[in-house]
Amino acid sequence: MPEEIKAHITGVVFQLPTKPGDRVAAGDAVIVLESMKMEIPVEAPRAGAVKEIRVREGQTVQEGDVVAVLE
Amino acid sequence: MFRACRQLGLKTVAVFSEADRGALHVRDADEAVAIGGAPARESYLNAERILAAARHARADAIHPGYGFLSENWRFADAVHRAGLEFIGPRPEAIRKMGDKIEARRLMAAAGVPVLPGSFEPVADVGGAEAVARDVGFPVFLKAAAGGGGIGMARVDKPTDLAGAFAMATRRAQAAFGTGALYVERYLERPRHVEIQVFGDSSGQIVHLYERECSIQRRHQKLVEESPAPNLPPPSKTGLATAAVAGARAIGYTNAGTMEFLVDEGGGFYFLEMNTRLQVEHPVTEEVTGLDLVVAQLRVASGEPLPWSQSEIVQRRVAIECRVYAEDPSKGFLPSPGTVQRLDLPSGEGIRIESGVEAGSTVSVHYDSLLLKLITHGATRQEALERMVDALDRCVVEGLRTTIPFLRRVVASDEFKAGRVHTQLLEQGAFNA
């Protein structure tokens, strides 16, 4: 069952430590946001494979936006 | 800053990014110049653009504020080379204190106590372990180019060292362009106490007493006060003497702050020097009745210090609470957005320094500080009562702020008793 990962804060995409196909554990950073000079990881809610990354570096995302999808 | 300039009959020029076109500081200045895009590296961190704006406005001097390029010695140097005055210390002093290892060496040589640890960068995990075994676990790994708590990691035991070293060096590399680390002994329940110093070009250096700044999150301050409560008199005197000696050793000019950790026995150790005006400078202004920014402008123009040491007296007690756009119920996560409503308290003993008003957009691109509440009183009790009241009456809607947390701090037994240390927050002393 694919699962959408949503940004929990508003920020700018700072790093993309994962790419589609990568396996992640629960709690791993799927993307890293930068907001107000802080680096905030958006973590995988469970273990799985990354199906999609829906953002690119430098993009502004709002709280609640889907940033990635797990298989 | 602009208030101080007006007081001296000086014209002001603001610079602003696209995100700040409607910002308060733009309207407060006599003139304003756009310098680029919202991301700080395109505007406020872009030295070329700032210097071009200064030339365009025919400015004589640049005040760097207390963020962005204010502790960047290359910027200070570029300002001088452009024929302008930099309102702050000489570039050489900024450079020396910006290298935290060199600062440790220089301060130790000047007789200022420093924490046991390395006086050279540690090359690798092995090097860090050798120092750590020498000074004893737990230790702190810190970034040589550090500041603001970035690239800092507490290490409790040898087996944790490799992981912590890798993370700290990566963070330091990303933030400062160098991954160099050093090791310091970790203190349990220390207080963060700092001394305001001020020097002029004739070599005269004074201190303006201490500020207690132990209430912190992510090693960044939330509450400051002066005088520091329950500071043993020998520590108070020793701190001020050490701070002046340290500043003198590097020929320091203009406003600066020597930061120390104070242990439970009253022993103190140099932490770092901030070679700029600090966010919390209003605390010292309210305590002493002196205007630090006016003094900065006078000293930068070549005048001697406006006060001798004996004229600087702690006349009152002052407390500052920092209102950030952060959510204290979620580990102080950033909370950018729009200020929908802003009701600020006013009255006797209350001073407000606000960068926002109702309708202001608080951008993801910059620091989350919205405003500072400062109260003063004849006694700590009076200043504290005024702060409790001021926080009660302070309303910020549209984004989450640190106000609920600050209310819990000033209502806590620890704070009321003036028995604070830097680990209170993580120990849950101010939990809802």
Side-chain angles (χ1 to χ4, degrees):
Chain A
M1 186 66 183
E3 183 171 352
E4 292 180 334
I5 303 178
K6 292 177 179 170
H8 57 307
I9 57 154
T10 297
V12 177
V13 179
F14 177 63
Q15 275 177 344
L16 297 171
T18 61
K19 57 184 188 307
D22 285 356
R23 302 242 11 130
V24 291
D28 280 359
V30 178
I31 70 164
V32 180
L33 295 175
E34 185 181 13
S35 186
M36 301 180 132
K37 299 190 347 198
M38 290 170 252
E39 285 175 39
I40 319 279
V42 179
E43 296 170 355
R46 59 169 171 80
V50 177
K51 184 164 184 264
E52 276 179 68
I53 297 286
R54 292 211 184 154
V55 292
R56 55 190 160 66
E57 262 179 45
Q59 182 183 336
T60 301
V61 298
Q62 302 296 320
E63 184 176 336
D65 284 358
V66 176
V67 294
V69 180
L70 284 184
E71 289 281 11
Chain B
M1 229 73 84
F2 296 157
R3 273 201 306 269
C5 288
R6 274 194 292 274
Q7 201 177 317
L8 295 178
L10 301 169
K11 293 272 188 199
T12 58
V13 184
V15 292
F16 64 95
S17 72
E18 274 162 29
D20 279 347
R21 191 164 288 278
L24 268 180
H25 81 275
V26 174
R27 270 180 286 140
D28 275 353
D30 295 315
E31 194 182 333
V33 183
I35 51 166
R41 66 184 175 281
E42 294 174 20
S43 48
Y44 299 115
L45 288 175
N46 188 317
E48 282 306 313
R49 299 239 176 114
I50 293 169
L51 287 170
R55 277 191 292 272
H56 171 81
R58 299 176 184 278
D60 301 306
I62 294 181
H63 194 301
Y66 41 65
F68 300 117
L69 295 170
S70 59
E71 290 189 279
N72 183 314
W73 68 269
R74 288 185 179 86
F75 177 66
D77 192 45
V79 171
H80 287 304
R81 280 189 283 109
L84 299 163
E85 201 54 61
F86 179 80
I87 302 167
R90 283 188 276 264
E92 190 59 12
I94 303 176
R95 189 189 63 71
K96 283 176 177 165
M97 293 294 107
D99 178 337
K100 303 303 172 187
I101 301 174
E102 186 173 356
R104 270 172 62 77
R105 277 199 300 264
L106 286 166
M107 291 303 108
V112 178
V114 299
L115 283 163
S118 45
F119 289 92
E120 300 288 338
V122 286
D124 49 28
V125 180
E129 186 169 352
V131 180
R133 286 197 187 282
D134 204 33
V135 303
F137 284 91
V139 293
F140 248 138
L141 288 177
K142 293 186 176 180
I150 298 165
M152 249 166 89
R154 176 189 163 158
V155 188
D156 289 318
K157 51 186 192 296
T159 49
D160 294 344
L161 201 53
F165 190 93
M167 191 181 73
T169 195
R170 185 186 61 78
R171 289 243 166 100
Q173 182 69 44
F176 308 116
T178 163
L181 301 180
Y182 65 103
V183 180
E184 260 181 14
R185 176 182 287 165
Y186 178 87
L187 289 183
E188 292 291 350
R189 295 177 292 280
R191 298 175 68 170
H192 176 121
V193 180
E194 60 188 27
I195 305 287
Q196 176 73 51
V197 295
F198 220 117
D200 68 17
S201 53
S202 76
Q204 196 190 168
I205 293 176
V206 296
H207 71 84
L208 290 91
Y209 294 94
E210 78 282 0
R211 290 182 293 258
E212 153 63 54
C213 313
S214 294
I215 310 293
Q216 307 181 350
R217 52 93 182 77
R218 295 188 289 264
H219 306 290
Q220 294 172 344
K221 299 157 196 164
L222 288 161
V223 181
E224 300 97 345
E225 66 175 301
S226 181
N230 302 314
L231 187 64
S235 306
K236 185 180 174 105
T237 314
L239 280 161
T241 307
V244 169
R248 183 163 285 130
I250 55 165
Y252 197 79
T253 54
N254 219 292
T257 294
M258 296 275 284
E259 297 190 333
F260 295 88
L261 290 180
V262 179
D263 66 24
E264 289 170 302
F268 57 86
Y269 309 92
F270 171 76
L271 199 55
E272 62 176 24
M273 183 175 198
N274 289 136
T275 51
R276 54 173 168 80
L277 189 72
Q278 290 204 226
V279 173
E280 61 272 27
H281 75 276
V283 171
T284 298
E285 292 187 333
E286 294 307 317
V287 168
T288 59
L290 305 173
D291 191 320
L292 293 185
V293 183
V294 166
Q296 280 199 296
L297 295 167
R298 288 192 184 283
V299 165
S301 71
E303 290 181 35
L305 275 173
W307 344 278
S308 65
Q309 187 66 63
S310 61
E311 289 168 330
I312 303 166
V313 180
Q314 290 180 302
R315 297 172 199 279
R316 302 191 291 213
V317 178
I319 304 173
E320 173 179 276
C321 284
R322 300 191 190 185
V323 177
Y324 283 99
E326 293 178 18
D327 187 349
S329 70
K330 290 186 183 156
F332 297 91
L333 273 182
S335 180
T338 301
V339 179
Q340 307 285 3
R341 181 178 161 206
L342 183 68
D343 290 342
L344 297 177
S346 60
E348 197 182 349
I350 297 176
R351 168 174 169 184
I352 309 264
E353 299 287 335
S354 177
V356 295
E357 60 189 341
S360 290
T361 303
V362 181
S363 159
V364 296
H365 295 291
Y366 314 125
D367 190 270
S368 51
L369 184 60
L370 297 174
L371 60 101
K372 302 179 274 186
L373 282 177
I374 306 105
T375 61
H376 67 77
T379 61
R380 185 169 188 269
Q381 184 63 25
E382 187 175 50
L384 182 54
E385 281 168 10
R386 284 175 176 164
M387 182 56 79
V388 169
D389 179 56
L391 283 167
D392 272 346
R393 291 192 283 139
C394 188
V395 179
V396 184
E397 288 177 5
L399 27 77
R400 283 159 294 222
T401 75
T402 50
I403 292 172
F405 170 83
L406 295 166
R407 286 179 184 150
R408 291 197 297 274
V409 170
V410 296
S412 69
D413 292 340
E414 289 89 346
F415 192 80
K416 281 195 278 192
R419 304 211 175 276
V420 291
H421 59 80
T422 61
Q423 292 152 14
L424 275 174
L425 193 149
E426 65 199 63
Q427 290 175 359
F430 311 121
N431 286 354

